[in-house]
């Protein structure tokens, strides 16, 4: 009988993967969504299914949800919506204060949600989803959405102040600014056009943001041509100049604000007059100040995307190659104890250990932690809400763990969903890769490269992904002796496989249990306690058909100890070796420059046919920076050409874009003052700032040009344009700046990622507004100083841009 020669049991293959949650053994199921699915919908469906699973599974089984990326996603979305709501409220209050009419404020405020809703509808038709990028675009547009409606209402109010009728004021006021408002809107939309020519990850990140802004801006312009005049017909009233002034509290506050505003405008007018007199000195001085601000760019630092603190971190440990799963589990116990000593119990929420690698039919291709065997483990730590910055604990553990556990490799993995996506499945943001067939020569170069990289400040978690010290036992078969005994090399290998790995490797068999309908694999396997020494291996019996006399392995083979690579990797078919690393306490750009210098020095020592590459976030960041900066320059050219077509002039569009250097200088100053590194979101803010600054300059220059045609004095035209356009320019800039304040503060889940965008817009618009109201009029008066009235000007006035 079978039970006379073997133990028959409902068992399992030897365990190579252990999962523990707060020290208790368990089974970990990781669920990934498909690319087009919504994270929130998938998680909601899983949570709805858990009660059914509890009813089906044994009551002793405890199911606990320990990881949920939807919490971060939902928190980020809620934060974006909250920022947009606060921005809309602050913008509405600012407009109310400037206009002094709740009716006008209601008309303007209505355009914000309708424009956002229109943009969401179009995004849905294009297959986009509500995510951090689309919501970031809508939050970015909140401050500028009121621009078209504000200019329309202000123009209508100006006609009402002149004593015209309501119907006439609405028609003339709306028609008069239709063309300049369209040009301003198109200027803001055009700056996002280069986003659609980006490639790679940058395209998937920023095209939805650009689409959200563009669709909202176009909807805002359409509403300012249709809904806003209609609401004005029902809500606005003809001004009665003989009516007694209102005595309510708000009216008094508004009058006090008007007095302050008029004093501010008078001061500005006096300042503008003085700089117009000294324009030959002021213009080069202002430009020099802008150029000096760019000297701060090297001190900003560069990152691809800001990191966010989601209250969790993942520590990967790699024991010495060949460590058994039991020893790795003991090592994790000790490391977990150190973690609990470092992080207070009041802040600790959950600790999950995922130890080893399952050798089975399970799909492990989505594992992004760099697992290579039973000596690897991931320790996932989640913190409670009120915790110290996670980066502080990570920094402390980085310095303590290597000292307490020498010989063990430690590195931290990204825990937030955004960084995991930006890493493209790699376990680190930095990957220095050597590809080639000469593995020994490449390994020599890589070891030297690793020693040099360890000297780079801020470069941490350095390790070679493919260790070459995995212990192996090489069985050398003496073919002569084997053939004399009636064995082939294949017979020897099959006997080893049957004893060490079981029959499932060569002759898989299955048993169907009719009671539960489950197929069970039948595996003949030698107990591990019978194969635990070199002598046990030498005494493995050999089997082959028609063999006259059984022999053991020692009769036909010898066993030698050696080492080999723990894992073999390829890139485009070619063998690769990788050095992975992360950044701490510095920016990715400075580390990139140091790595590129080292790589250039070591590249000549590579074997023939081998190549070295810098991959990971560095490669993606460089491509995104090049695409966005090139797109920024291309956007400026497109805006310039659009204004040229509209103004029918090459000079006036040049005057308009002279405000852009100040905008860029303001972005640099704001990022430097707030200790914010240059990043892709900051570049997106710079692009947005270019459009808004250009739109404001159009208001000033178009009015100045009209006044110049009327009386021919450039000095007087510039002064009148500044004084007249001071209010609309200030309102537009303040609306955008106030709308960006909640985003710039970076509060809430994921707020750190959009904070550079808001800060860049605020800094750029602050300086751009100063340039629009002071520098642009001065440049206008200087370049038109020799203007001579032309009789054809009266005809051209009928065809030029109407006064906005």
């Amino acid at each position: 009988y079978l039970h006379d020669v073997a133990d028959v049991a409902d068992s399992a293959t030897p365990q190579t993967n252990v999962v523990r949650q707060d020290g208790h053994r368990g089974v970990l199921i990781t669920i990934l969504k498909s690319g087009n699915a919504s994270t929130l919908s998938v998680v909601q469906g899983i949570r709805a299914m858990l009660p059914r699973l509890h009813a089906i599974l044994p009551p002793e089984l405890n199911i606990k949800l320990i990881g949920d990326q939807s919490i971060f996603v939902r928190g980020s979305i809620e934060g974006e919506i909250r920022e947009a709501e606060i921005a809309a409220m602050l913008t509405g209050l600012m407009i109310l204060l400037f206009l002094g009419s709740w009716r006008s404020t209601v008309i303007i405020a209505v355009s914000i949600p309708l424009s956002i809703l229109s943009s969401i509808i179009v995004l849905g038709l294009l297959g986009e989803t509500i995510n951090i990028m689309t919501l970031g675009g809508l939050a970015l547009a909140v401050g500028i959405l009121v621009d078209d409606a504000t200019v329309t209402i202000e123009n209508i109010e100006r006609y009402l102040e002149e004593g015209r009728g309501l119907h006439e004021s609405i028609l003339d006021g709306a028609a008069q600014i239709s063309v300049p408002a369209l040009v301003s809107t198109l200027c803001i939309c055009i700056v996002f056009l280069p986003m659609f020519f980006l490639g790679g990850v940058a395209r998937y990140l920023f095209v939805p943001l650009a689409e959200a802004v563009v669709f909202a801006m176009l909807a805002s312009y359409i509403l300012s041509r249709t809904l806003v005049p209609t609401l004005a017909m029902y809500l606005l009233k003809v001004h009665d100049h003989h009516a007694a002034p209102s005595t309510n509290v708000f009216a008094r506050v508004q009058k006090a604000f008007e007095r302050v505003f008029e004093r501010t405008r008078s001061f500005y007018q006096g300042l503008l007059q003085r700089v117009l007199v000294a324009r030959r000195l002021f213009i080069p001085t202002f430009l020099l100040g802008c150029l000096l601000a760019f000297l701060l760019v090297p001190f900003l630092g560069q990152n691809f995307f800001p990191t966010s603190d989601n209250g969790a971190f993942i520590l990967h440990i790699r024991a010495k190659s060949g460590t058994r799963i039991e020893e790795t589990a003991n090592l994790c116990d000790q490391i977990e104890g150190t973690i609990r000593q470092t992080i207070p119990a009041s802040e600790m929420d959950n600790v999950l250990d995922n130890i080893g690698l399952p050798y089975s039919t399970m799909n492990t291709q989505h594992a992004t932690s760099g697992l290579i065997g039973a000596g690897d483990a991931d320790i996932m730590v989640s913190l409670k809400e009120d915790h110290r910055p996670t980066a502080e604990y990570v920094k402390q553990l980085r310095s303590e763990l290597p000292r307490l556990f020498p010989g063990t490799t430690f590195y931290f993995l990204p825990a937030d969903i955004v960084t995991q996506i930006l890493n493209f499945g790699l376990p680190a943001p930095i990957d220095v890769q050597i590809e080639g067939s000469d593995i020994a020569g490449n390994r020599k170069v890589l070891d030297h490269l690793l020693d040099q990289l360890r000297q780079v400040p801020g470069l941490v978690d350095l390790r070679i992904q493919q260790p070459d010290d995995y212990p192996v036992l090489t069985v050398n078969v003496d073919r002569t002796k084997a053939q004399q005994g009636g064995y082939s090399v294949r017979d020897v290998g099959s006997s080893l496989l049957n004893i060490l790995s079981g029959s499932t490797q060569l002759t898989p068999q299955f048993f169907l249990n009719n009671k539960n309908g489950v197929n069970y694999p039948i595996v003949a396997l030698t107990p591990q306690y019978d194969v635990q020494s070199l002598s046990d291996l030498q005494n493995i019996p050999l089997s082959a058909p028609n063999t006259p006399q059984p022999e053991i392995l020692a009769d036909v083979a010898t066993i030698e100890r050696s080492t080999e690579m723990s894992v073999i990797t390829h890139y485009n078919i070619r063998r690769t070796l990788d050095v992975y690393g992360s950044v701490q306490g510095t920016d990715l750009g400075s580390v990139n420059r140091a790595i590129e210098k080292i790589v250039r020095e070591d590249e000549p020592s590579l074997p023939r046919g081998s190549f070295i590459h810098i991959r990971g976030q560095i490669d993606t960041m460089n491509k995104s920076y090049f695409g966005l900066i090139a797109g920024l320059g291309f956007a400026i050219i497109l805006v310039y050409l659009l204004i040229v077509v509209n103004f029918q002039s090459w000079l006036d569009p040049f005057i308009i874009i002279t405000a852009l250097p100040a905008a860029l200088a303001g972005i640099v100053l704001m990022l430097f003052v707030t200790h914010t590194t240059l990043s892709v979101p900051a570049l997106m803010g710079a692009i947005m700032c270019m459009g808004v600054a250009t739109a404001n300059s159009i208001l000033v220059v178009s009015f100045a040009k009209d006044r110049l045609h009327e009386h021919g004095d450039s000095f007087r035209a510039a002064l009148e344009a500044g004084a007249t356009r001071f209010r609309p320019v200030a309102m537009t800039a303040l609306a955008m700046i106030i709308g960006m304040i909640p985003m710039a503060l970076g509060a809430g889940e994921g707020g750190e990622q959009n904070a550079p965008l808001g800060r860049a817009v605020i800094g750029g618009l602050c300086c751009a507004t100063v340039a629009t109201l002071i520098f642009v009029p001065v440049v206008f008066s200087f370049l038109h100083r020799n203007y001579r009235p032309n009789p054809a000007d009266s005809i051209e006035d009928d065809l030029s841009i109407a006064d906005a």
Side-chain angles (χ1 to χ4, degrees), residues 91 134 201 288 309-310 354 371 440 464 562 565 637 675:
T91 303
T134 52
V201 66
L288 179 62
D309 188 353
N310 65 337
N354 189 9
L371 291 167
I464 297 178
S562 61
M565 295 182 66
I637 295 175
H675 303 286

Side-chain angles (χ1 to χ4, degrees), residues 420-481:
Q420 290 174 356
I421 293 172
L422 296 179
N423 280 354
F424 284 96
L426 293 178
I430 298 173
D431 176 15
V432 182
Q433 184 181 89
I434 297 179
E435 63 170 73
S437 56
D438 189 351
I439 300 301
N442 292 343
R443 170 71 66 170
K444 183 178 179 181
V445 175
L446 198 67
D447 289 337
H448 181 256
L449 183 70
L450 182 62
D451 293 335
Q452 292 178 294
L453 292 176
R454 287 197 173 106
Q455 308 304 318
V456 177
L459 193 53
V460 294
D461 293 346
L462 288 168
R463 73 277 184 187
I464 297 178
Q465 174 62 14
Q466 301 86 358
D468 60 351
D469 59 347
Y470 190 82
V472 296
L473 297 174
T474 303
V475 179
N476 299 311
V477 179
D478 189 327
R479 294 173 181 268
T480 302
K481 290 182 179 181

Side-chain angles (χ1 to χ4, degrees), residues 449-527:
L449 183 70
L450 182 62
D451 293 335
Q452 292 178 294
L453 292 176
R454 287 197 173 106
Q455 308 304 318
V456 177
L459 193 53
V460 294
D461 293 346
L462 288 168
R463 73 277 184 187
I464 297 178
Q465 174 62 14
Q466 301 86 358
D468 60 351
D469 59 347
Y470 190 82
V472 296
L473 297 174
T474 303
V475 179
N476 299 311
V477 179
D478 189 327
R479 294 173 181 268
T480 302
K481 290 182 179 181
Q483 288 180 357
Q484 289 174 350
Y487 298 97
S488 65
V489 176
R490 180 176 181 178
D491 296 331
V492 176
S494 298
S495 301
L496 285 173
L497 278 175
N498 279 325
I499 297 297
L500 300 177
S501 300
S503 62
T504 185
Q505 294 286 339
L506 298 177
T507 56
Q509 302 178 59
F510 298 92
F511 162 70
L512 174 61
N513 188 341
N514 293 321
K515 294 183 178 180
N516 57 13
V518 176
N519 271 319
Y520 292 88
I522 301 176
V523 181
L525 183 67
T526 302

